[in-house]
């Protein structure tokens, strides 16, 4: 079994610029293609692959499905094609009209070799009152991937509270976007509160590229001489508060 709960969108990568208002995009992963990814009237965002930062937004005015992997999209505005082409890692598009709100409550996660929950959505998300028992990877994994799986989404309103994590992989809660450049923070406005972490080794919370994250009133049960602060660690991040 893979991740029991897996919530994300799909980035499609721009392949050709047909005009200032029209591009060809492609499903990039061999296991995720062939579905209706866009509809007329949908709002989309252009995302720089290297930084995972939003360039600008637009609306879809026409969709033409060339085949199961390639789609032609027309927008309601001009884009600066030269500046997009100058982004050497490329540009992907996310359909932000279809990003969900999420509530995950009162579950028992166990007996899987992967994560308990993979989640990347910009809308309100709450994960509470769950037990994560010996996930071999992270209990909760927040990515945003424009390099491998092309699983889209940035987190902008995530609450993780009143959960129990028992000997999961490290970090137990892992923020792992695929940006190779640090031109801003991918994930923000995250509250991790009133959880219990039973840790044999590794970190409770970690990763990179987060901002406005609070780690409050959590209990860490661990062996050894490490301090509680050592179990929360981030790289290339903004405001992280612990209390």
């Amino acid at each position: 079994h893979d991740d029991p709960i897996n919530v994300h969108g799909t980035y499609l990568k721009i392949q050709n610029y047909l005009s200032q208002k029209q591009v060809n995009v492609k499903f990039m992963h061999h296991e995720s293609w062939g579905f209706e990814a866009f509809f007329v009237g949908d709002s989309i965002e252009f995302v720089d692959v290297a930084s995972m930062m939003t360039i600008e937004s637009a609306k879809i005015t026409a969709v033409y499905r060339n085949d199961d992997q390639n789609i032609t999209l027309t927008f309601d505005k001009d884009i600066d094609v030269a500046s997009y082409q100058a982004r050497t890692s490329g540009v992907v598009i996310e359909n932000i009209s279809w990003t969900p709100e999420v509530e995950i409550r009162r579950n028992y996660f166990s007996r899987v070799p992967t994560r308990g929950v993979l989640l990347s959505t910009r809308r309100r998300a709450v994960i509470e009152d769950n037990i994560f028992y010996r996930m071999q990877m992270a209990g909760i994994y927040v990515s945003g991937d424009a390099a491998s799986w092309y699983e889209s989404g940035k987190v902008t309103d995530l609450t993780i509270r009143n959960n129990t994590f028992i000997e999961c992989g490290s970090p137990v809660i892992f923020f792992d976007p695929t940006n190779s450049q640090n031109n801003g923070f991918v994930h923000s406005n995250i509250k991790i509160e009133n959880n219990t972490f039973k840790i044999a080794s590794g970190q409770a919370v970690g990763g990179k590229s987060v901002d406005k994250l609070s780690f409050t009133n959590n209990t860490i049960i661990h062996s050894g001489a490490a301090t509680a602060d050592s179990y929360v660690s981030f790289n290339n991040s903004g405001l992280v508060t612990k209390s």
Side-chain angles (χ1 to χ4, degrees):
H1 202 301
D2 206 346
D3 314 324
I5 296 180
N6 201 314
V7 181
H8 60 81
T10 302
Y11 286 124
L12 280 76
K13 194 169 187 178
I14 296 177
Q15 303 297 300
N16 304 105
Y17 295 88
L18 304 178
S19 73
Q20 289 181 301
K21 286 186 176 179
Q22 193 174 66
V23 300
N24 285 333
V25 297
K26 181 179 180 180
F27 288 103
M28 298 302 294
H29 195 273
H30 68 279
E31 294 177 349
S32 179
W33 51 272
F35 59 89
E36 302 293 340
F38 303 97
F39 298 89
V40 171
D42 285 349
S43 296
I44 58 99
E45 282 187 354
F46 301 90
V47 177
D48 175 61
V49 170
S51 66
M52 298 289 289
M53 294 290 101
T54 299
I55 303 167
E56 60 181 318
S57 60
K59 284 194 173 183
I60 301 294
T61 59
V63 180
Y64 181 78
R65 182 169 171 171
N66 301 296
D67 54 44
D68 283 346
Q69 291 186 315
N70 297 278
I71 301 170
T72 298
L73 298 176
T74 306
F75 314 121
D76 66 339
K77 60 187 284 188
D78 290 347
I79 60 173
D80 186 344
V81 172
S83 70
Y84 278 47
Q85 291 175 321
R87 298 172 187 268
T88 56
S89 295
V91 175
V92 291
I93 290 178
E94 179 181 20
N95 188 336
I96 62 174
S97 287
W98 293 83
T99 53
E101 291 191 352
V102 179
E103 295 181 358
I104 301 171
R105 292 189 171 96
R106 296 181 295 278
N107 300 282
Y108 185 91
F109 297 94
S110 181
R111 299 179 183 271
V112 295
T114 50
R115 290 71 54 115
V117 173
L118 183 153
L119 182 143
S120 53
T121 179
R122 67 186 58 212
R123 300 190 194 277
R124 174 181 172 270
V126 178
I127 304 174
E128 67 178 349
D129 298 322
N130 303 283
I131 296 174
F132 296 84
Y133 182 74
R134 290 185 172 176
M135 301 292 103
Q136 292 187 29
M137 297 182 184
I140 298 172
Y141 183 65
V142 179
S143 180
D145 181 341
S148 177
W149 291 92
Y150 289 85
E151 295 177 347
S152 70
K154 60 183 179 182
V155 158
T156 64
D157 183 1
L158 171 61
T159 300
I160 301 171
R161 65 185 171 216
N162 299 328
N163 302 283
T164 300
F165 300 91
I166 302 169
E167 296 181 3
C168 295
S170 175
V172 176
I173 302 173
F174 190 17
F175 295 86
D176 186 35
T178 62
N179 56 312
S180 60
Q181 296 177 2
N182 301 305
N183 297 338
F185 308 117
V186 177
H187 302 303
S188 61
N189 298 314
I190 301 148
K191 293 183 288 186
I192 302 172
E193 56 191 23
N194 300 316
N195 302 282
T196 298
F197 298 85
K198 298 181 181 180
I199 296 176
S201 62
Q203 296 175 345
V205 184
K208 66 175 184 177
S209 201
V210 303
D211 189 29
K212 299 177 183 176
L213 180 146
S214 62
F215 184 82
T216 308
N217 296 325
N218 297 284
T219 299
I220 298 176
I221 301 169
H222 60 96
S223 58
T227 63
D229 279 351
S230 68
Y231 288 96
V232 179
S233 179
F234 285 96
N235 298 316
N236 300 315
S237 294
L239 179 64
V240 176
T241 59
K242 294 176 283 186
S243 62

